[in-house]
Amino acid sequence: MGIMRLGRVEARVLDLEKSIDYYSNVIGLQLMARENGTAYFKAWDEEDHHSLILTEADHPGLAHLAFKVRYEHELDEFEKSLETYGVRVNRVSKGTRLAEGQAIRFELPTGHLVELYHEIERVGNGLKLNPDPYPDNLKGIAPPQLDHLLITGEDVQGATDLLMKVFDFHMSERIVTLDGEQLLAVWLFRTNTPHDIAILKGPNGKLHHFAFTLGSWNDILHAADVLGKNNVAFDVTPTRHGITRGTTIYFFDPSGNRNEVFSGGYIPCEDFTPVTWTEDQLGKGIFYHMRELNERFSTALT
Amino acid sequence: MGIMRLGRVEARVLDLEKSIDYYSNVIGLQLMARENGTAYFKAWDEEDHHSLILTEADHPGLAHLAFKVRYEHELDEFEKSLETYGVRVNRVSKGTRLAEGQAIRFELPTGHLVELYHEIERVGNGLKLNPDPYPDNLKGIAPPQLDHLLITGEDVQGATDLLMKVFDFHMSERIVTLDGEQLLAVWLFRTNTPHDIAILKGPNGKLHHFAFTLGSWNDILHAADVLGKNNVAFDVTPTRHGITRGTTIYFFDPSGNRNEVFSGGYIPCEDFTPVTWTEDQLGKGIFYHMRELNERFSTALT
Amino acid sequence: MGIMRLGRVEARVLDLEKSIDYYSNVIGLQLMARENGTAYFKAWDEEDHHSLILTEADHPGLAHLAFKVRYEHELDEFEKSLETYGVRVNRVSKGTRLAEGQAIRFELPTGHLVELYHEIERVGNGLKLNPDPYPDNLKGIAPPQLDHLLITGEDVQGATDLLMKVFDFHMSERIVTLDGEQLLAVWLFRTNTPHDIAILKGPNGKLHHFAFTLGSWNDILHAADVLGKNNVAFDVTPTRHGITRGTTIYFFDPSGNRNEVFSGGYIPCEDFTPVTWTEDQLGKGIFYHMRELNERFSTALT
Amino acid sequence: MGIMRLGRVEARVLDLEKSIDYYSNVIGLQLMARENGTAYFKAWDEEDHHSLILTEADHPGLAHLAFKVRYEHELDEFEKSLETYGVRVNRVSKGTRLAEGQAIRFELPTGHLVELYHEIERVGNGLKLNPDPYPDNLKGIAPPQLDHLLITGEDVQGATDLLMKVFDFHMSERIVTLDGEQLLAVWLFRTNTPHDIAILKGPNGKLHHFAFTLGSWNDILHAADVLGKNNVAFDVTPTRHGITRGTTIYFFDPSGNRNEVFSGGYIPCEDFTPVTWTEDQLGKGIFYHMRELNERFSTALT
């Protein structure tokens, strides 16, 4: 029971045409549908109709993020839990967006809109009986699935408490001030990947990045080659995170939203002891090799 | 709530001395304790006191397997669920084995002894504040953790039903007869890895293999090099499974128990659609490259 | 001056149509031309018009192998050296095969026809000014180039002497009888790869395999996936050679000619000390992991 | 005949003790000998006594570089060729440095001291009869061998001409001005690796970096982890060069000399068509992913 995964991200983009080209041909997602100023994408190994929604707007950023729950009836239960916790909840009607059932919607203490949903059209990953391990004709980077996102806000502690207490998220890693008093960043998981959502101290309501899963450090190199060939703007070329131990690339979509491809990391369970970093080791925690942040890390937010 | 993972495997071995040498220096586990005819090991990234117990005996095989649950009080709850399901349950007292709390014990329809437990001494993975991604001085293959096991039995369907209904295991893959009527093998997961336990039609109470996690296809090559250098008997050299998509090596410990190192595979959630294989494609399902089983696959059981 | 590389292999195939399909779509070579019962292929990163010639025949095998020399005038010089050495030399006229200049032809003591040539139409690898590291739209395994071949014959010593004395080949590895008296197999290089040609004791005039270069152990996995997907007959799935240290797959083309993809190994220079293996360690030398030969190794020759 | 490889590099270091620790434990070379202010190292797979000499001095940089020739008598021949070419040659007596025979010494038009030698004590790589592919107990990055170096000077064309005309170096890549008139950088090879020496327009007599070979992109990650763990100063974290297609890390030894680990790239022969880059694409040529140089690239010279 409960949240299964980060099910979808809705990102605002400046030029839908250019963005569709980028997410289709460079990232290599499948364009599932398009209507008005909105486009719907899925990664090849996902079974749901979409995991990324692009909506044309005059500024980039995160329109909403949504977690998929295991059962439809959990919407009612989480609505009550949230209200008990003191969070106001709205209903999103079925059909508000393409292929989706109803959802409940609330705001995190960091100002981000979050939805919970169960129902969404199931389209499958295209692999059948006695399947090969991956389909032919993948394009671009071709990640199998959406992985996690990182958002910024003032009240990291408040958002963390809500996610852990109401939704049973677990903490994999955190950055604290040298005196240990203040939470500067936190990595939270529901599944056995190192994070489904992470929160960094910073301006409210902002998106730091959303990330797609890759299978190996070799896929990271391939992804970097695809990005280089397509003249995509890099933030950080292939490296390892200290936090999560995963390997990574940060780069920007045509609207300036930061994307990540992420591979590896440990497989935590609910009894995982959170890893603690002190703020003086922030650089090493984020980029284990270079051991310092570039200026963009804290300023390029959308 | 519920089962978090395959927490430990107790294997019978013929010569404890040789087995300790093998699991310490070739597999690269940490010998945590030894008393009487029993040795306790953990993999480097595990936090619990042990995940592998070796017990000297006159024939190899699986003494028991155990799942770790999130809360101690779940032992009582699962005891009731099991009894309601018609399964007899015994209590294992705290201190029966080193560093362990109490457990409940029952038999699968396939004749394997299964324990559930929560309490076990926590020793940590040795990484501290602001940790490096892995410790120095790892030896041998050095997998970070125990991954899954494969057992054989006559009543695959019965064992599957019990695991899914009582413990909320989910099915990732299955092999069925051509007419679709009979379940020949099944892969089950609780976590988001492709399997915690798999069951293959065959003689009751037997062990096919237990497996350790590796991080990449490159680690698989390194493992094969270590095995080659140490003259370990291979069953199957590096290849890919069709089932789970993971990469693998099968090999034998000094007592003839089959070990596996396993890397990769997808990250399933509870809404994952099980993949179906028909028995005529069994070879491709197990070994995607060679597409046929060697004779040992179904006969080398302990 | 002298031989630069194994420039081309002419293989006999049973069914040209099926063979063209296999070498184009599974191996991923570029079909450059086709006339009468012959097809010409190049690998994507090769600049010469072709490196593989397929000729339809009623039995498979090696029609000839050819080394490319640096200068045209070396044909005359090597003709003299060969005749001085006691080897009869024939001239092959320009235009005997498509896109080729003249060549000289002789027979190795093992009964294989060898040509030396310099002139061949240059077509380039398709990468231009400020090139990307590899082209788009590669198909199948897509090796960048032909690597080496392994032939069998009775007089391993004689063929080795000729190649080393007349053409300044260097020995990287050899297998000898336990008493050290007899040469059972030899690996020879001109370039700084571990081998351009290898010779194994066996029936005269036979082909054991010819091999294409791959860039990494990850490319080896990708190649195995392509072969599995296309139901190609494997001889040996991914493993490491003790000899050369390279990683490898052996498999068969539709006519039964053994192909290899090969990656890695050391970078020898002319002062490299040959590595010696004794025949009792032949298994480990050929397949470092499994440490034994399958029966096909010495019998599946074409 | 001729130059076989970049045989050794003599680097000036500020603090010999710290440098010995770094090259032994971080790079993982073998300290072969130490006398007065000089230390001698070899990489594990090299057979010669040393390939790196560290000499304590009050400023870092390149003391000399040396190419190994195949035969001793070539020293006389190259002495004559150099003098005919108009280059003054000195003899370095046997025993000037440890384990070395005599050498000839000259200055490149870029002001760098170059030696040619054949004789040097042979110590082997420690692998014996029927060897495993690599020894146990490697430390740090543990590259198998020295690979190449990059120097800077005003007269790139002059140095290139000398190396190509007198020593039969071949050009793999070059950077030219937009009008194609001036050579800004050149990559030269004798072996079949993409470069033994490269020359970049810049101040005379300076060292840009010297590089060690690694086997794969995975070894590059391991190297970056070792560097991160040891707090080594990075110039550039793992990425791909457009030029040579190789993967790379740039970093600094304790004296500020830039080191590189390099993996991959193509296997050129003497008929390789040089790849041309125009100066406006310099960033892409050097760092294919980020596609721009950091400021250090042209200023951190020793």
Side-chain angles (χ1 to χ4, degrees):
Chain A
M1 296 233 306
I3 288 174
M4 294 192 294
R5 65 172 169 273
L6 177 65
R8 64 178 177 252
V9 163
E10 182 185 2
R12 289 186 301 265
V13 297
L14 302 181
D15 178 331
L16 190 60
E17 218 53 60
K18 278 176 66 173
S19 300
I20 287 175
D21 177 57
Y22 166 85
Y23 283 100
S24 300
N25 296 313
V26 179
I27 303 297
L29 303 179
Q30 298 170 356
L31 178 62
M32 299 301 291
R34 181 178 175 176
E35 49 168 30
N36 307 325
T38 301
Y40 297 82
F41 293 90
K42 72 181 278 292
W44 72 262
D45 202 22
E46 293 170 337
E47 300 185 75
D48 289 343
H49 181 272
H50 57 263
S51 60
L52 176 66
I53 305 170
L54 302 182
T55 302
E56 202 162 38
D58 61 1
H59 63 293
L62 181 70
H64 86 279
L65 67 99
F67 296 112
K68 185 174 183 183
V69 298
R70 188 168 171 193
Y71 298 113
E72 184 72 16
H73 65 75
E74 294 181 293
L75 298 189
D76 295 341
E77 292 160 23
F78 280 126
E79 182 173 29
K80 280 180 211 132
S81 313
L82 282 164
E83 285 174 347
T84 303
Y85 194 84
V87 176
R88 188 167 169 174
V89 178
N90 294 309
R91 287 269 161 177
V92 180
S93 308
K94 177 168 179 159
T96 298
R97 285 181 303 260
L98 206 71
E100 299 182 8
Q102 67 167 333
I104 63 172
R105 172 179 274 227
F106 65 96
E107 197 177 304
L108 276 184
T110 50
H112 300 83
L113 290 176
V114 177
E115 293 184 11
L116 298 187
Y117 70 100
H118 171 73
E119 193 187 336
I120 184 167
E121 191 184 322
R122 297 279 281 177
V123 295
N125 67 2
L127 298 174
K128 305 292 184 185
L129 194 71
N130 305 314
D132 291 301
Y134 40 84
D136 285 331
N137 301 323
L138 296 174
K139 281 185 305 184
I141 294 173
Q145 59 190 66
L146 181 65
D147 194 90
H148 68 271
L149 91 177
L150 171 53
I151 57 177
T152 69
E154 286 303 322
D155 188 6
V156 175
Q157 187 70 61
T160 301
D161 288 347
L162 188 157
L163 290 167
M164 292 183 71
K165 290 176 184 165
V166 178
F167 300 113
D168 198 24
F169 273 89
H170 313 291
M171 189 186 294
S172 54
E173 312 230 0
R174 65 182 161 187
I175 302 174
V176 296
T177 48
L178 276 176
D179 57 15
E181 301 273 303
Q182 207 192 331
L183 197 56
L184 299 178
V186 67
W187 283 256
L188 301 174
F189 69 99
R190 274 286 305 166
T191 72
N192 294 77
T193 61
H195 48 357
D196 296 292
I197 183 167
I199 310 167
L200 178 71
K201 196 163 183 66
N204 269 359
K206 291 295 186 182
L207 172 70
H208 190 275
H209 69 264
F210 55 93
F212 298 95
T213 310
L214 287 183
S216 74
W217 174 240
N218 251 78
D219 292 345
I220 293 283
L221 176 61
H222 175 256
D225 287 349
V226 169
L227 294 169
K229 182 161 203 163
N230 286 281
N231 293 309
V232 172
F234 278 83
D235 182 9
V236 173
T237 51
T239 192
R240 184 192 289 282
H241 290 305
I243 292 165
T244 74
R245 306 180 193 156
T247 54
T248 179
I249 312 171
Y250 283 166
F251 49 100
F252 296 102
D253 83 358
S255 307
N257 294 306
R258 189 188 280 98
N259 291 167
E260 183 186 19
V261 285
F262 176 87
S263 177
Y266 42 76
I267 305 173
C269 287
E270 289 146 334
D271 62 347
F272 184 86
T273 302
V275 176
T276 300
W277 298 78
T278 48
E279 62 179 321
D280 58 319
Q281 296 295 312
L282 179 63
K284 177 183 168 187
I286 303 295
F287 301 127
Y288 181 69
H289 300 147
M290 192 56 98
R291 302 184 310 280
E292 60 184 26
L293 301 184
N294 59 32
E295 200 204 312
R296 285 186 298 268
F297 183 81
S298 49
T299 59
L301 308 171
T302 58
Chain B
M1 295 237 304
I3 287 175
M4 293 192 295
R5 64 171 169 272
L6 176 66
R8 64 177 177 250
V9 163
E10 183 186 0
R12 289 187 302 265
V13 297
L14 302 183
D15 178 331
L16 189 61
E17 219 53 59
K18 278 175 68 172
S19 300
I20 287 175
D21 177 56
Y22 166 85
Y23 282 101
S24 299
N25 296 313
V26 179
I27 303 296
L29 303 180
Q30 298 170 357
L31 176 64
M32 298 301 290
R34 181 180 175 174
E35 47 167 32
N36 308 324
T38 301
Y40 298 82
F41 293 89
K42 73 181 278 293
W44 73 261
D45 202 21
E46 293 170 336
E47 300 185 73
D48 289 343
H49 181 272
H50 56 263
S51 61
L52 176 67
I53 303 171
L54 301 183
T55 301
E56 202 164 35
D58 60 1
H59 63 292
L62 181 70
H64 86 279
L65 66 98
F67 296 113
K68 185 174 184 183
V69 298
R70 188 168 172 193
Y71 298 113
E72 185 71 17
H73 65 75
E74 293 181 291
L75 299 188
D76 295 340
E77 292 160 23
F78 280 125
E79 183 174 29
K80 280 182 210 127
S81 314
L82 281 164
E83 286 174 346
T84 303
Y85 195 83
V87 175
R88 187 167 169 175
V89 177
N90 292 310
R91 285 272 161 176
V92 180
S93 306
K94 175 165 178 159
T96 299
R97 285 180 303 262
L98 205 73
E100 299 182 6
Q102 66 167 332
I104 61 172
R105 172 179 273 228
F106 65 96
E107 199 177 303
L108 276 185
T110 49
H112 299 84
L113 289 177
V114 177
E115 294 184 12
L116 298 187
Y117 70 100
H118 171 72
E119 194 187 336
I120 183 166
E121 192 183 321
R122 296 281 281 176
V123 296
N125 67 1
L127 298 174
K128 307 293 184 182
L129 194 71
N130 304 313
D132 291 301
Y134 41 83
D136 285 330
N137 301 321
L138 296 174
K139 283 185 301 184
I141 294 173
Q145 60 190 66
L146 182 65
D147 195 89
H148 69 271
L149 91 177
L150 171 53
I151 55 178
T152 69
E154 286 303 322
D155 188 5
V156 176
Q157 186 71 61
T160 300
D161 287 348
L162 187 156
L163 290 168
M164 293 182 71
K165 289 177 185 165
V166 178
F167 300 114
D168 199 23
F169 273 88
H170 314 291
M171 190 186 293
S172 54
E173 313 231 0
R174 64 180 163 190
I175 303 174
V176 296
T177 48
L178 276 175
D179 57 14
E181 299 275 303
Q182 207 192 328
L183 197 57
L184 300 178
V186 67
W187 283 256
L188 301 175
F189 69 99
R190 273 285 306 165
T191 71
N192 295 75
T193 60
H195 47 358
D196 296 292
I197 183 166
I199 310 167
L200 178 70
K201 197 166 184 65
N204 268 359
K206 291 293 187 183
L207 172 69
H208 190 277
H209 69 264
F210 55 94
F212 298 96
T213 310
L214 287 183
S216 73
W217 173 240
N218 251 77
D219 292 344
I220 293 283
L221 176 61
H222 175 256
D225 288 348
V226 170
L227 294 169
K229 181 161 204 163
N230 287 280
N231 293 309
V232 172
F234 277 84
D235 181 12
V236 173
T237 52
T239 191
R240 184 192 288 282
H241 290 306
I243 291 164
T244 74
R245 303 180 193 158
T247 55
T248 180
I249 311 171
Y250 283 165
F251 50 101
F252 296 102
D253 82 0
S255 307
N257 293 306
R258 190 187 278 97
N259 291 165
E260 182 185 19
V261 285
F262 177 87
S263 176
Y266 41 76
I267 305 172
C269 287
E270 290 146 335
D271 62 347
F272 185 86
T273 302
V275 176
T276 299
W277 298 77
T278 49
E279 59 179 323
D280 59 319
Q281 295 295 310
L282 178 65
K284 177 182 168 185
I286 303 294
F287 301 128
Y288 180 68
H289 300 147
M290 191 58 94
R291 301 184 311 280
E292 62 185 23
L293 300 185
N294 59 32
E295 199 204 313
R296 284 185 298 267
F297 184 80
S298 49
T299 59
L301 307 172
T302 58
Chain C
M1 294 235 306
I3 288 175
M4 293 192 295
R5 65 172 169 272
L6 177 65
R8 65 178 176 249
V9 162
E10 182 185 2
R12 289 187 301 266
V13 297
L14 302 182
D15 178 330
L16 190 61
E17 218 53 59
K18 278 175 69 173
S19 301
I20 286 175
D21 178 56
Y22 166 85
Y23 283 101
S24 299
N25 296 313
V26 179
I27 303 297
L29 303 180
Q30 297 171 357
L31 177 64
M32 299 302 291
R34 181 179 176 175
E35 48 167 30
N36 308 323
T38 301
Y40 297 82
F41 292 90
K42 73 181 277 294
W44 72 262
D45 202 21
E46 293 171 337
E47 300 185 74
D48 289 343
H49 181 272
H50 57 263
S51 60
L52 176 67
I53 304 170
L54 301 182
T55 301
E56 203 163 35
D58 60 2
H59 63 293
L62 182 70
H64 86 280
L65 67 98
F67 295 113
K68 184 173 183 182
V69 298
R70 188 169 173 191
Y71 297 114
E72 185 71 17
H73 65 76
E74 293 180 292
L75 298 189
D76 295 340
E77 292 159 23
F78 280 125
E79 183 173 29
K80 279 182 211 130
S81 315
L82 281 163
E83 287 174 345
T84 303
Y85 195 83
V87 176
R88 187 166 169 177
V89 178
N90 293 310
R91 287 271 161 176
V92 181
S93 308
K94 177 167 179 158
T96 299
R97 285 181 302 261
L98 205 73
E100 299 181 8
Q102 67 168 332
I104 62 172
R105 173 179 272 229
F106 65 97
E107 199 177 303
L108 276 185
T110 49
H112 300 84
L113 289 176
V114 178
E115 293 184 11
L116 298 187
Y117 70 99
H118 170 72
E119 194 187 337
I120 183 167
E121 192 183 321
R122 298 279 281 177
V123 296
N125 67 0
L127 298 175
K128 307 292 184 183
L129 194 70
N130 304 314
D132 291 301
Y134 41 84
D136 285 330
N137 301 323
L138 296 174
K139 282 186 302 182
I141 294 173
Q145 59 191 67
L146 182 65
D147 194 89
H148 69 271
L149 92 176
L150 170 54
I151 56 177
T152 69
E154 288 303 322
D155 188 6
V156 176
Q157 187 71 61
T160 301
D161 288 347
L162 187 157
L163 290 167
M164 292 182 70
K165 289 177 185 165
V166 178
F167 299 114
D168 199 24
F169 274 88
H170 313 292
M171 189 185 294
S172 54
E173 312 230 2
R174 64 180 162 187
I175 303 174
V176 297
T177 48
L178 276 176
D179 57 13
E181 300 274 302
Q182 207 192 330
L183 198 56
L184 299 178
V186 68
W187 283 256
L188 301 175
F189 68 98
R190 274 286 306 166
T191 72
N192 295 76
T193 61
H195 48 357
D196 296 292
I197 183 167
I199 310 167
L200 178 70
K201 196 163 184 67
N204 269 359
K206 291 295 186 182
L207 172 69
H208 189 276
H209 69 263
F210 55 93
F212 298 95
T213 310
L214 286 183
S216 73
W217 174 240
N218 252 77
D219 291 344
I220 293 282
L221 176 61
H222 175 256
D225 288 348
V226 169
L227 294 169
K229 183 161 204 163
N230 287 281
N231 292 310
V232 172
F234 277 83
D235 181 10
V236 173
T237 51
T239 192
R240 183 192 289 282
H241 290 305
I243 292 165
T244 73
R245 303 180 195 157
T247 54
T248 179
I249 311 171
Y250 283 166
F251 49 100
F252 296 102
D253 83 359
S255 307
N257 294 306
R258 189 187 279 97
N259 291 166
E260 183 185 19
V261 286
F262 176 87
S263 176
Y266 42 75
I267 305 172
C269 287
E270 289 145 335
D271 62 348
F272 185 86
T273 302
V275 176
T276 300
W277 299 77
T278 48
E279 61 179 322
D280 59 320
Q281 295 295 310
L282 179 64
K284 177 183 167 185
I286 303 295
F287 302 128
Y288 180 69
H289 299 147
M290 192 57 95
R291 302 184 310 279
E292 60 183 26
L293 300 185
N294 59 32
E295 199 204 312
R296 284 187 299 268
F297 184 82
S298 49
T299 57
L301 307 172
T302 58
Chain D
M1 295 235 306
I3 288 174
M4 293 193 294
R5 65 172 170 274
L6 177 65
R8 64 178 176 251
V9 163
E10 183 185 2
R12 290 187 301 265
V13 297
L14 301 182
D15 178 331
L16 190 60
E17 219 52 61
K18 279 175 67 173
S19 299
I20 286 175
D21 177 57
Y22 167 85
Y23 282 100
S24 300
N25 296 312
V26 179
I27 303 298
L29 303 180
Q30 298 171 355
L31 178 62
M32 298 301 291
R34 181 178 174 176
E35 48 168 31
N36 308 324
T38 301
Y40 297 82
F41 292 91
K42 74 182 276 294
W44 72 262
D45 202 20
E46 293 170 337
E47 299 186 74
D48 289 343
H49 181 271
H50 57 263
S51 61
L52 176 66
I53 304 170
L54 301 183
T55 301
E56 202 162 38
D58 61 0
H59 64 292
L62 181 70
H64 86 281
L65 67 99
F67 295 113
K68 185 174 182 184
V69 298
R70 189 169 172 191
Y71 297 114
E72 185 72 16
H73 65 74
E74 293 180 294
L75 298 189
D76 294 342
E77 292 159 25
F78 279 126
E79 183 174 28
K80 279 180 212 131
S81 314
L82 282 164
E83 286 174 347
T84 304
Y85 195 83
V87 176
R88 186 168 170 174
V89 178
N90 293 310
R91 286 270 161 175
V92 180
S93 308
K94 177 168 179 158
T96 298
R97 284 179 305 259
L98 206 71
E100 299 182 7
Q102 68 166 332
I104 62 172
R105 173 179 273 229
F106 66 96
E107 199 177 303
L108 276 185
T110 50
H112 300 83
L113 289 176
V114 178
E115 293 184 11
L116 299 187
Y117 69 101
H118 172 71
E119 193 187 336
I120 183 167
E121 192 184 321
R122 296 280 281 176
V123 296
N125 67 0
L127 298 174
K128 307 292 183 183
L129 194 70
N130 303 314
D132 291 301
Y134 42 84
D136 285 330
N137 301 322
L138 296 174
K139 281 185 303 182
I141 294 172
Q145 59 191 66
L146 182 65
D147 195 90
H148 69 270
L149 91 176
L150 171 53
I151 56 177
T152 68
E154 287 302 322
D155 188 6
V156 176
Q157 187 71 60
T160 300
D161 288 347
L162 187 157
L163 290 167
M164 293 183 70
K165 289 177 185 166
V166 178
F167 300 112
D168 199 24
F169 273 89
H170 313 291
M171 190 185 294
S172 54
E173 312 231 2
R174 66 182 161 187
I175 303 173
V176 297
T177 48
L178 276 175
D179 57 14
E181 300 274 304
Q182 208 193 328
L183 196 57
L184 300 178
V186 67
W187 283 256
L188 300 175
F189 69 100
R190 275 286 305 166
T191 72
N192 295 77
T193 60
H195 47 357
D196 297 291
I197 184 167
I199 310 166
L200 178 70
K201 197 165 183 66
N204 268 358
K206 291 294 186 181
L207 172 69
H208 189 277
H209 69 263
F210 55 94
F212 298 95
T213 310
L214 287 182
S216 73
W217 174 240
N218 253 78
D219 292 344
I220 293 282
L221 176 61
H222 175 257
D225 288 349
V226 169
L227 295 168
K229 182 161 204 163
N230 287 281
N231 293 309
V232 172
F234 278 83
D235 181 9
V236 173
T237 52
T239 192
R240 185 192 287 283
H241 290 307
I243 292 165
T244 75
R245 303 179 195 158
T247 54
T248 179
I249 312 171
Y250 283 165
F251 49 101
F252 296 102
D253 82 0
S255 307
N257 293 307
R258 190 187 279 97
N259 291 165
E260 182 184 21
V261 286
F262 177 86
S263 176
Y266 41 75
I267 304 173
C269 287
E270 290 147 333
D271 62 347
F272 185 86
T273 302
V275 175
T276 300
W277 298 78
T278 49
E279 61 179 322
D280 58 320
Q281 295 295 312
L282 178 64
K284 177 183 169 186
I286 303 295
F287 302 126
Y288 181 68
H289 300 147
M290 192 57 95
R291 302 184 309 281
E292 60 185 26
L293 301 184
N294 59 32
E295 200 205 312
R296 283 186 299 267
F297 183 81
S298 49
T299 59
L301 308 172
T302 59

